[in-house]
Amino acid sequence: MKKHSARVAPLSACNSPVLTLTKVEGEERPRDPPGPAEAQAPVGTDTGGRPSPRCWRCSQAQLKKIFWGVAVVLCVCSSWAGATQLAKLTFRKFDAPFTLTWFATNWNFLFFPLYYAGHVCKSAEKQSVKQRYRECCRFFGDNGLTLKVFFTKAAPFGVLWTLTNYLYLHAIKKINTTDVSVLFCCNKAFVFLLSWIVLRDRFMGVRIVAAILAIAGIVMMTYADGFHSHSVIGIALVVGSASVSALYKVLFKLLLGSAKFGEAALFLSILGVFNILFITCIPVILYFTKVEYWSSFDDIPWGNLCGFSVLLLTFNIVLNFGIAVTYPTLMSLGIVLSVPVNAVVDRYTSKIVFNGVRVIAMVIIGLGFLLLLLPEEWDVWLMKLLTRLKVRKKEEAAEGGADLGSGPQNKGGRARPSFAR
């Protein structure tokens, strides 16, 4: 398998793959020296002026990647917005955010079985489950997945995963889903700040500006409701969820680095196992202490619980493994596009008031998120683009001057009109 630097995170995208071009069949045969007409043909075209097979194949690959990117964006947007709205609907009948978090996290166990099913369908060299498991376990070291490794490298991330989702769901109880989804977009700004401090990542002024915009958006969102205690608590919960998620991603990169698809799937399945073995006791304690209590199991909206879990599982699968078919920037756009989707739903299902302060805060946070999607070399690309446009403008001006000076002239030194004989 090709190695991809897919970064495992509960709500994160991955590094971009390298797009390679395959050689055109028959391209390596010897050719005669080009004639005058062939030598003057532009790059990427044949002697007849048509696009070459190499150029056509490149464009096909790019179009395919963009097509899959649109599909991934729609899937990320719909699954994230759907999970958020379904969680809000679930709390009307089942007021137990931690139990819902525990129930949904158990479904992480399906990551590795689903990955292995894809491996059997796609891979030319099929391995048994045991062989594939052992190969993926090398991600944890030469000794594989030992008990010590489980408690030192997997258990802390299991706690962070549970805490991220619990704070997010608990915030949905306090404030509307639009505010929750837009505030969680600040997660990317927190990731940059932690990476800059802990991982010594490259300093980028535009990302500092994006982080400032995110913080300003949080303050304005709090001000939009008049600093009421109910909304302040909800905003604090979702900001805490975004902060814990950022800590998860940075620690994963610091301690474990990057992972292949199979290693990422195994790691997420291990988080599900950890949740089943060690987190199950907490919902039981909350039930008997009546912190999260329900009268009977028949009253539990199992359809909503299973629907939320399936949507959250789909979201994490697409976000962690969508890099195989498209660009990571497109996947990140799906999270931003879920904000207007939630806003439309909230507009017709709740009493949310989109005053000027709230709209400005949403725009500021969205702008900060988009600035964080800029690649590290964006300034170099921008300077090259401006330089190229400047050179082209000078060339056009020179060609225009040459055309005026080389036209046929009469004896008086003025150019003849086009109808003169």
Side-chain angles (χ1 to χ4, degrees):
M1 291 183 62
K2 295 182 179 180
K3 184 174 181 180
H4 298 266
S5 56
R7 191 175 302 172
V8 185
L11 302 165
S12 64
C14 313
N15 295 330
S16 58
V18 178
L19 181 61
T20 57
L21 299 177
T22 56
K23 291 186 178 180
V24 182
E25 185 177 359
E27 188 181 44
E28 296 181 352
R29 66 177 182 271
R31 300 181 57 189
D32 297 330
E38 187 177 358
Q40 294 176 2
V43 178
T45 60
D46 55 16
T47 55
R50 294 172 297 180
S52 66
R54 175 187 290 271
C55 183
W56 175 247
R57 183 166 298 185
C58 176
S59 62
Q60 276 187 327
Q62 291 176 345
L63 287 175
K64 182 178 179 181
K65 217 169 185 64
I66 293 174
F67 170 78
W68 277 110
V70 174
V72 167
V73 166
L74 294 177
C75 187
V76 169
C77 176
S78 58
S79 60
W80 185 234
T84 303
Q85 292 294 334
L86 200 54
K88 187 77 171 182
L89 185 63
T90 302
F91 291 144
R92 297 178 182 177
K93 299 180 180 179
F94 185 70
D95 188 10
F98 193 92
T99 303
L100 180 59
T101 301
W102 169 83
F103 183 81
T105 306
N106 289 337
W107 290 58
N108 279 15
F109 178 78
L110 297 175
F111 268 99
F112 189 75
L114 291 175
Y115 161 77
Y116 182 75
H119 165 75
V120 172
C121 295
K122 294 293 184 179
S123 180
E125 299 179 0
K126 297 178 176 59
Q127 297 177 321
S128 64
V129 179
K130 189 175 182 179
Q131 290 174 333
R132 197 74 203 136
Y133 170 79
R134 286 182 175 178
E135 184 173 334
C136 293
C137 278
R138 296 175 184 173
F139 172 67
F140 297 101
D142 297 335
N143 297 327
L145 183 62
T146 61
L147 197 61
K148 179 181 178 181
V149 170
F150 178 81
F151 283 106
T152 57
K153 292 187 177 181
F157 293 100
V159 174
L160 293 176
W161 178 288
T162 301
L163 189 58
T164 297
N165 290 278
Y166 170 70
L167 292 175
Y168 186 86
L169 292 176
H170 198 65
I172 293 177
K173 286 180 53 183
K174 301 290 184 180
I175 56 179
N176 58 75
T177 56
T178 302
D179 292 352
V180 172
S181 58
V182 72
L183 287 170
F184 194 83
C185 290
C186 298
N187 159 268
K188 206 168 185 66
F190 298 156
V191 170
F192 163 69
L193 292 176
L194 285 176
S195 299
W196 178 42
I197 297 172
V198 178
L199 302 179
R200 305 297 181 183
D201 281 0
R202 177 187 172 188
F203 173 83
M204 292 182 63
V206 67
R207 293 186 178 179
I208 290 293
V209 173
I212 294 173
L213 290 177
I215 297 173
I218 294 172
V219 175
M220 293 185 67
M221 192 67 72
T222 308
Y223 176 76
D225 290 331
F227 292 97
H228 297 301
S229 59
H230 194 72
S231 62
V232 169
I233 293 174
I235 291 172
L237 288 171
V238 68
V239 171
S241 175
S243 303
V244 176
S245 175
L247 180 63
Y248 174 102
K249 299 170 190 177
V250 173
L251 285 181
F252 185 91
K253 186 176 180 180
L254 178 66
L255 300 178
L256 299 175
S258 59
K260 299 178 183 178
F261 289 134
E263 296 167 350
L266 178 62
F267 183 83
L268 292 170
S269 292
I270 291 172
L271 296 187
V273 173
F274 171 81
N275 187 75
I276 295 173
L277 295 178
F278 298 98
I279 306 297
T280 303
C281 60
I282 298 180
V284 175
I285 295 173
L286 295 176
Y287 174 79
F288 284 107
T289 56
K290 295 189 177 182
V291 176
E292 293 186 357
Y293 182 78
W294 55 93
S295 56
S296 64
F297 285 92
D298 296 332
D299 296 333
I300 298 177
W302 291 106
N304 291 347
L305 262 68
C306 293
F308 169 77
S309 302
V310 169
L311 288 175
L312 191 61
L313 179 67
T314 303
F315 171 78
N316 282 292
I317 288 176
V318 175
L319 204 59
N320 282 283
F321 306 128
I323 187 177
V325 294
T326 189
Y327 304 102
T329 302
L330 291 178
M331 295 188 294
S332 298
L333 288 177
I335 300 176
V336 180
L337 293 178
S338 67
V339 176
V341 173
N342 284 320
V344 171
V345 175
D346 285 346
R347 179 66 179 82
Y348 292 99
T349 59
S350 63
K351 298 180 180 180
I352 183 174
V353 178
F354 288 101
N355 52 31
V357 178
R358 175 176 270 109
V359 173
I360 293 174
M362 293 171 61
V363 171
I364 287 176
I365 294 176
L367 178 61
F369 188 94
L370 294 177
L371 288 177
L372 288 166
L373 296 181
L374 291 175
E376 291 187 357
E377 303 297 333
W378 73 274
D379 52 342
V380 178
W381 295 351
L382 181 61
M383 291 302 298
K384 288 183 178 179
L385 178 62
L386 293 176
T387 304
R388 190 172 300 175
L389 292 176
K390 188 176 180 180
V391 170
R392 182 176 298 179
K393 188 175 180 181
K394 289 182 177 180
E395 291 177 351
E396 291 177 353
E399 290 177 358
D403 292 340
L404 291 176
S406 61
Q409 297 180 353
N410 56 14
K411 293 181 179 179
R414 292 177 297 179
R416 292 181 181 180
S418 59
F419 54 84
R421 294 182 180 178

